[in-house]
Amino acid sequence: MERAPLLPLLLLLLAAAALGVSGTEVAYNDRALVIDGERRIVISGSIHYPRSTPEMWPDLIRKAKEGGLDAIETYVFWNGHEPRRREYNFEGSYDIVRFFKEIQDAGMYAILRIGPYICGEWNYGGLPAWLREISGMQFRMHNHPFEREMETFTTLIVDKLKEAKMFAGQGGPIILSQIENEYGNIMGKLNNNESASEYIHWCAAMANKQNVGVPWIMCQQDDDVPPNVINTCNGFYCHDWFPKRTDIPKMWTENWTGWFKAWDKPDFHRSAEDVAFSVAMFFQKRGSLQNYYMYHGGTNFGRTSGGPYITTSYDYDAPLDEYGNIRQPKYGHLKDLHNVLKSMEKILLHGDYKDTNMSSTNVTVTKYTLDNSSACFISNKFDDREVNVTLDTGATHVVPAWSVSILPDCKTVAYNSAKIKTQTSVMVKRPEVETVREGLAWSWMPENLQPFMTDEKGNFRKNELLEQIATSGDQSDYLWYRTSFEHKGEASYKLHVNTTGHELYAFVNGKLVGKQHSPNGGFVFQMETPVKLHAGKNYISLLSATIGLKNYGALFEMMPAGIVGGPVKLVDTVTNTTAYDLSNSSWSYKAGLAGEYRETHLDKADDRSQWSGGLNGTIPVHRPFTWYKATFEAPAGEEPVVADLLGLGKGVVWVNGNNLGRYWPSYVAADMGGCKQCDYRGTFKAEGDGLKCLTGCNEPSQRFYHVPRSFLKAGEPNTMVLFEEAGGDPTRVNFHTVAVGAACAEAAEVGDQVALACSHARTISSVDVASLGVARGKCGAYEGGCESKAALAAFTAACLGKESCAVRHTEEFRAGCDSGVLTVQATC
């Protein structure tokens, strides 16, 4: 073995000792990130630490790595870490250092997106509501109050991660950092171009003086790009995007693997074929770093969902589903793509390249050459036809519509984005048998509304109707507006309330007289409801509720909530004219509900005497403003657990004191045209005309709610607490476990291997389909085709009782059947 010269080796050891760790050098050129002197293709995926639990992190990161990812990308959540000014939270799911250490332990890189504005369908875009209390504050503009707070938080995060040695130069996993977020999308809409430009350049300068030792990026900053940052692309497709500067690499920080869900919308699904098409096109066109947003979406626990009207689920149709299960075929199809791209890393990042349009701009051949080797991509952007493409080797290749073929040697197709060779899994939710048979024993407690039925004992009074976010500091969804006035004799009126929403309950003299929520998108609405007044003092109590704060758009923070400005008036029912305008009356303000102050969700021993019902008692149902409680045993095994809340109205759910989030299963998703068609071919969109591949139209927007295993106690009672705001029936609540129910795979050619796998140690209990030429149905419900007795026997022998199996397609399987694709379906 050749020995290194002693002196240079000694110098290296002394340098390493001085640093205290073996660091990684990160730089870049026009083609790629350069890590320790080597140009690298980086495949990354977004996993947001507060949208899962610390106990889930190792498994999510492991699956990401096994899926062919090099890096994990995450935002940093300012309002989660600093919910009140200078009061910090780095515990539990907000333990950011622990999260990055898990990434490091897995041998992966990390991309740190500080923002600290993040959008992310997160409440208020991650910005703390308490910023509104600071004089002179203008969000995301050039002004000292905002820049001071932003720099204070950014420095806090950087210093915490430096202290833990999480940056690459310290031996940590972080290879890139991001400042601000998608600012270029709104710069021209802020009505002050000079301030916007000064702000974004200040951001870059502030970030660079942090001395993190890795490059800083800015996404969607295509114009007015500050020096010393890399601008990057976000979107469903970024192959035609290139950075404005020629000395920086082409990076894609958000490839949207699906879309978020709102309470009034069905579920969006972006096909595995289309995601793969977008990634292959990106690397065909000189891409070097690509990040899936999201790779695991997770859950908006507590009050973290934004919008307004973003659901508690943030599944995002990601390769790992909300609960951490592998979503097939998306996960496996992309893994196959990653393997092919990595095999071509050197030629893609060092080779010469030439793009050639073949009779149409929709068909492009890109050839990379390096030394004596070559690699080719053939892309077909036609969404209605396959094409035959002849390369300069003389070989002709058939490229399906809306797909990319990759030939690492320009001879043999190693991958086509439209041809899936991995299994399709159908996930099933299995009810917990004991709960279904016996039901849960519920007890109940009314929310104490009495203190709020007068205008006494508020936090303060004001002779005007105030904006809710600034008034409450967003410490609760709820804000009470209360006033009183004298009235001569009895009379009937129409109470008219103009509000910016999102939801309103009206009480007059202690009686609920009206409730209403706004439609998604137009949050200004008017409530009109009949009321009766008595002689003497009358009390009006208005409870305004938010359902997630706006998180995106120019000046999004100025979108009001609550009954700001009103008017609130009593209208004469005969003349339909205003009898009393109460808008400038003396209003008393109080944020929150009595149960929130008492922390009823914690089921404290001092409060247990307040609960009624129980094992042999009855409980009221469809009663608004009611607390319910039940105990249950954790489902056996390791499969993810969900609570089925069908039958409830709207409210919040806790398990063992952990807030699972808002629920609203009574809100039915709209019937949209995209629920009636799904074809991977053609541009995927999440807004406007041409939607496709939607599911769940005319069904509850969200019925199932994730209960992480770490929230549960095995072998002892667990407590579920519900705050039912709107009125529902908790007796229908049930628990389910989630796992693969059916596993399906296809083989187009003899010699192809068909692999099937269950999940969570479940085994294959039957092989239900082994046929050629199946033309109808989908996984779990195939119809038709020619059954291959030989294939059925082979798969039954190889797979029955196994957690996974693989069988190679043979000529024998075709016996008695016309040629066709072999389709296999098994039950787990």
Side-chain angles (χ1 to χ4, degrees), residues 121-181:
E121 293 72 59
W122 189 266
N123 192 52
Y124 225 32
L127 299 180
W130 53 257
L131 291 171
R132 296 276 296 270
E133 302 170 6
I134 299 174
S135 177
M137 175 68 65
Q138 287 183 289
F139 285 24
R140 304 174 73 200
M141 297 284 275
H142 185 50
N143 64 99
H144 179 66
F146 185 77
E147 290 172 352
R148 178 192 63 223
E149 295 300 323
M150 177 176 168
E151 183 170 9
T152 298
F153 180 73
T154 300
T155 303
L156 173 78
I157 295 299
V158 167
D159 287 350
K160 183 170 281 290
L161 294 172
K162 278 184 178 178
E163 183 181 356
K165 294 181 169 43
M166 288 293 103
F167 289 98
Q170 302 174 293
I174 299 172
I175 57 171
L176 288 174
S177 294
Q178 178 180 305
I179 197 68
E180 246 298 335
N181 190 59

Side-chain angles (χ1 to χ4, degrees), residues 199-485:
Y199 166 70
I200 201 64
H201 282 262
W202 172 87
C203 288
M206 182 271 290
N208 277 289
K209 77 177 186 180
Q210 298 287 335
N211 295 318
V212 297
V214 300
W216 285 92
I217 59 175
M218 282 185 173
C219 64
Q220 294 296 91
Q221 193 62 38
D222 287 347
D223 296 313
D224 199 5
V225 183
N228 300 320
V229 297
I230 303 172
N231 64 308
T232 67
C233 184
N234 291 352
F236 289 116
Y237 308 95
C238 281
H239 50 273
D240 287 333
W241 175 91
F242 287 89
K244 290 291 179 69
R245 283 170 31 208
T246 58
D247 62 334
I248 59 178
K250 177 174 174 175
M251 297 186 183
W252 190 0
T253 35
E254 291 188 15
N255 180 355
W256 302 328
T257 55
W259 201 240
F260 60 87
K261 181 175 172 62
W263 287 114
D264 63 332
K265 298 291 191 299
D267 298 291
F268 287 80
H269 301 280
R270 188 182 180 198
S271 69
E273 296 97 325
D274 187 60
V275 179
F277 172 74
S278 72
V279 176
M281 286 276 286
F282 179 71
F283 283 97
Q284 178 178 1
K285 293 288 192 74
R286 267 70 71 196
S288 63
L289 180 149
Q290 189 267 171
N291 177 76
Y292 297 106
Y293 187 100
M294 301 292 294
Y295 200 76
H296 170 256
T299 306
N300 292 316
F301 296 112
R303 301 178 57 248
T304 60
S305 61
Y309 281 30
I310 301 297
T311 56
T312 295
S313 171
Y314 197 65
D315 180 85
Y316 220 89
D317 201 42
L320 301 178
D321 72 14
E322 178 179 1
Y323 321 118
N325 294 313
I326 290 173
R327 174 173 273 121
Q328 296 283 34
K330 188 172 283 187
Y331 175 93
H333 192 45
L334 295 175
K335 177 180 179 177
D336 291 344
L337 174 57
H338 304 155
N339 289 339
V340 173
L341 291 171
K342 285 305 186 68
S343 74
M344 303 160 63
E345 182 176 50
K346 187 172 183 179
I347 195 169
L348 293 182
L349 301 184
H350 290 269
D352 296 325
Y353 51 84
K354 181 181 180 182
D355 298 321
T356 304
N357 292 328
M358 310 295 287
S359 74
S360 166
T361 56
N362 280 340
V363 181
T364 303
V365 173
T366 301
K367 185 174 184 178
Y368 286 84
T369 57
L370 180 66
D371 299 329
N372 296 320
S373 61
S374 60
C376 293
F377 292 78
I378 313 172
S379 58
N380 176 14
K381 290 192 284 187
F382 284 113
D383 60 11
D384 60 352
R385 73 199 79 161
E386 65 181 28
V387 294
N388 294 313
V389 177
T390 302
L391 298 181
D392 56 13
T393 60
T396 298
H397 300 274
V398 179
V399 185
W402 201 255
S403 77
V404 178
S405 289
I406 305 176
L407 301 76
D409 58 0
C410 286
K411 297 176 183 178
T412 304
V413 175
Y415 185 89
N416 178 269
S417 62
K419 296 181 178 180
I420 295 176
K421 296 185 177 181
T422 192
Q423 82 171 38
T424 294
S425 299
V426 176
M427 307 305 294
V428 296
K429 297 179 175 70
R430 295 180 171 90
E432 183 66 8
V433 176
E434 291 298 320
T435 307
V436 172
R437 184 172 61 244
E438 300 180 5
L440 296 171
W442 291 97
S443 53
W444 72 285
M445 178 195 304
E447 166 64 18
N448 184 14
L449 297 173
Q450 197 57 41
F452 305 101
M453 294 300 101
T454 72
D455 60 347
E456 301 169 3
K457 298 181 180 178
N459 288 339
F460 64 94
R461 304 187 75 91
K462 199 82 171 178
N463 283 18
E464 61 180 313
L465 292 160
L466 300 176
E467 198 278 328
Q468 181 167 347
I469 303 169
T471 303
S472 69
D474 193 40
Q475 294 301 305
S476 168
D477 283 357
Y478 303 101
L479 179 65
W480 289 97
Y481 296 73
R482 297 173 294 152
T483 193
S484 62
F485 64 99

